[in-house]
Amino acid sequence: MTYKYQMLPLEKVFRDPVHNYIHVQHQVILDLINSKEVQRLRRIKQLGTTSYTFHGAEHSRFSHSLGVYDITRRICDIFQRNYSQEKYGKDGWDDSHRLVALCAALLHDVGHGPYSHTFEHIFHTDHEALTVAIITSPETEVFQILNNVEEGFPEKVASVITKTYANPQVVQMISSQIDADRMDYLLRDAYYTGTEYGTFDLTRILRVIRPYEGGIAFSMNGMHAVEDYIVSRYQMYVQVYFHPVSRAMEVLLEHLLDRAHELYQEDAEIFTFHSQFLIPFLRQDFSLEDYLKLDDGVLNTYFAQWIEEQDLILSDLAYRFLNRKPLKSITVDSSENPLLIELKALVEKAGFNPHYYTAINSSYDLPYDLYHPEKGSHRTQIELMQKDGTLIELSKASQLVSALTGQGQGDIRFYYPKEMTQQDSRNSDLFDDYYQAFAKHIRNGALVEEKS
């Protein structure tokens, strides 16, 4: 018996608050879970700065990765039991692809770094490319484990991440409009943030999921469960992922890392004694080994040390981030509004560098995006399978989803120091004229021409 088909003598289970038990039957999956690259995900929060808003959101990318694996395992079980190729021919499921799907599901986020999206923006990293590198680089434990399955197996798993794997059913399990990744993070994020509107009927969706030659579809009689999923995703983006305070903390983090990057260019010695693991990124020359040394705890330790630095901007931003002192924000109709120039000037006159203490942040996402071939790229459509086996795209059958299709949900916000509008946080009236001039342009949390 080869490693590829080696089953555990006794099934391993992980107790999970979302899925109850997560079942592991394959030795390779257990070995991957125990690899240092996957264990590192325990030290990276799934939702980054969101825990500064929803204090329960301390869950890790490790627990999410296990959840995605388990949903994928359940889908494979359903497909093999009910829709195998032996029963349905080319439209059925070929279970020889199971292990590739399970490994890709478990490893789909292994390339994420600390405070992932903010870190990526500052240091120009790409978590998907790094995921592929971790899977395919001979120096990683993940590669060694996968390569023991069979030669070329790491590349097969990586091709699911890059969406080039030959079987579209496997690709769509991991990455599509309604996939194991999204289904787990919506339920998991809703659970840990305490937001009930993020839940949906996973059991029903798995009951109506169907393979076909071109990918994955859902039985027509399960349309309302899929609608519920779409609405839940919409609500989570509006209420959680786009929350203005979480974004305020992201802005602080981005400006803090940006300041460190600027200071490194001026005097690299500043970071020699306390930020060794970050130096390859500050100089923009890092290896995979360098990347895997980083996690949320490493960065937070450096931030605590930066509070003691002589540079007042670096010190203050680190203090504000670690101690949850978010910037305030107002909504604006456009990032090009000329009044924003005036507000930035007032912030500068009040003693704050506007480059580091103001920001314009827009946050938009499509809760459901149709396939538009003329655009050159698209997210996979959600297909409903009718009784005769023909497919109909979801928004064509659902008035509810049709109403949401293509509707961007988000806002544009101008961020500024809370001192500009909170008198009790100011130690002096030296800048009162600037504060008052600033406040004239704010009403009900939005930018206005001037208070009457």
Side-chain angles (χ1 to χ4, degrees), residues 74 85-86 120 156 298 325:
R74 291 164 69 183
Q85 283 194 343
E86 287 76 16
E120 286 187 31
K156 286 184 180 179
V298 169
K325 309 295 181 184

Side-chain angles (χ1 to χ4, degrees), residues 44-45 48 57 108 111 155 194 232 241 364 395 397:
I44 297 176
K45 288 180 184 176
H108 80 285
E155 288 72 24
S232 294
Y241 305 137
Y364 285 92
S395 69

Side-chain angles (χ1 to χ4, degrees), residues 330-333 337 339-340 343 441-443 445-449:
I330 54 174
T331 58
V332 298
D333 56 359
N337 192 313
L339 276 178
L340 295 177
L343 293 187
H441 295 297
I442 299 174
R443 184 186 301 153
L447 179 67
V448 295
E449 290 295 324

